[in-house]
Amino acid sequence: MSKLVIANWKSHKTLEFAQTWCADFSKEVSALTLTTVPVAVAAALPFVASLRSALPSQVTLAVQDVSPFPPGKYTGAVAAAQLAGLEVKYAIVGHSERRQYFGETNTDVANKVAQCLEHGITPVVCVDDEYVANQAAALEDGHAAKCVVAYEALSAIGTGKNMDAQHVAEITELIKQSFGQVPVLYGGSVTAANVAEYKDISDGWLVGSASLEVEDFVALVNTVAQF
Ligand code: PGA
């Protein structure tokens, strides 16, 4: 099975930097690599549409969040229905930073998943060890098996200290028991230098820090292409 790599830029990068990244990435990554490794880029929401033409056509678009509501009177929210027209393939939902800084709950995440699935966007549900089972249980019937799940180890996110592979294997198994046989990504200080530790464990990776510089990200994608 091919391994999915999602770049999560978080609130980094101006439009100008984002466009330069896309131009440089297009030059430095080979088309062959992109046929082997599915890559998605989750840029800041206002940039998503304009990056479509700046990225190689094999690269898919992702967003970092989505509204838990349908289109309507929800100022500031962007509905899944509005993203579908932008060729957005994946929506990261329930990232630990959303849970920590924006008070997002398992129920909010379940509503976001429902909106995504209704509009043909694959939700990438982020979970930490503590709430794998509760998050799966909060989803509407039949939704869990349609998600991609990312095990985002809290202690490893943005710290430069990636999680022990054995522990990732255990939680990946727990996720598959709770959600079904879904693709399970790992996220938390993944780099080109450590991604091989998870090659027989994870179905892909959610990459924050190591996606910000083209050089680091291309090195990572090239490493994954060798698996
Ligand atoms: P990191 O971020 O790679 O910088 O640890 C991962 C994430 O939060 O998705």
Side-chain angles (χ1 to χ4, degrees):
M1 190 182 141
S2 48
K3 309 282 192 180
L4 172 65
V5 179
I6 303 179
N8 176 12
W9 289 350
K10 308 188 178 184
S11 283
H12 295 290
K13 297 194 184 298
T14 60
L15 178 58
E16 193 187 345
F17 271 95
Q19 285 170 334
T20 304
W21 189 101
C22 292
D24 292 347
F25 182 70
S26 305
K27 268 188 245 145
E28 290 182 30
V29 75
S30 83
L32 181 62
T33 298
L34 291 179
T35 56
T36 318
V37 184
V39 171
V41 173
L45 199 47
F47 308 157
V48 169
S50 71
L51 296 190
R52 174 61 287 166
S53 56
L55 284 166
S57 59
Q58 301 94 329
V59 175
T60 54
L61 298 177
V63 292
Q64 302 170 18
D65 186 34
V66 67
S67 174
F69 301 109
K73 291 180 269 181
Y74 305 101
T75 300
V78 178
Q82 297 172 299
L83 295 169
L86 298 179
E87 297 181 41
V88 168
K89 183 163 183 191
Y90 299 102
I92 300 169
V93 292
H95 191 283
S96 61
E97 289 154 11
R98 301 284 322 167
R99 295 177 192 257
Q100 181 182 355
Y101 300 118
F102 300 87
E104 217 159 87
T105 65
N106 288 338
T107 305
D108 295 327
V109 175
N111 291 333
K112 292 176 183 208
V113 166
Q115 286 301 312
C116 286
L117 292 176
E118 193 176 321
H119 296 285
I121 296 171
T122 301
V124 179
V125 180
C126 299
V127 291
D128 180 35
D129 311 43
E130 308 297 321
Y131 46 81
V132 171
N134 288 347
Q135 181 61 80
L139 299 179
E140 288 179 30
D141 285 352
H143 283 184
K146 295 179 180 159
C147 296
V148 169
V149 180
Y151 169 41
E152 288 269 303
L154 274 192
S155 64
I157 295 173
T159 59
K161 293 187 185 126
N162 58 307
M163 178 59 76
D164 169 66
Q166 180 56 36
H167 186 73
V168 174
E170 284 163 21
I171 303 299
T172 299
E173 185 49 36
L174 177 66
I175 291 170
K176 294 202 189 233
Q177 281 165 14
S178 304
F179 284 75
Q181 290 307 307
V182 296
V184 180
L185 317 182
Y186 166 68
S189 298
V190 175
T191 65
N194 62 34
V195 68
E197 295 173 29
Y198 311 102
K199 89 176 156 73
D200 299 324
I201 299 169
S202 304
D203 300 309
W205 296 278
L206 185 53
V207 185
S209 311
S211 72
L212 297 178
E213 299 297 330
V214 168
E215 198 185 358
D216 296 338
F217 193 63
V218 169
L220 175 60
V221 172
N222 286 343
T223 304
V224 173
Q226 306 303 317
F227 293 165

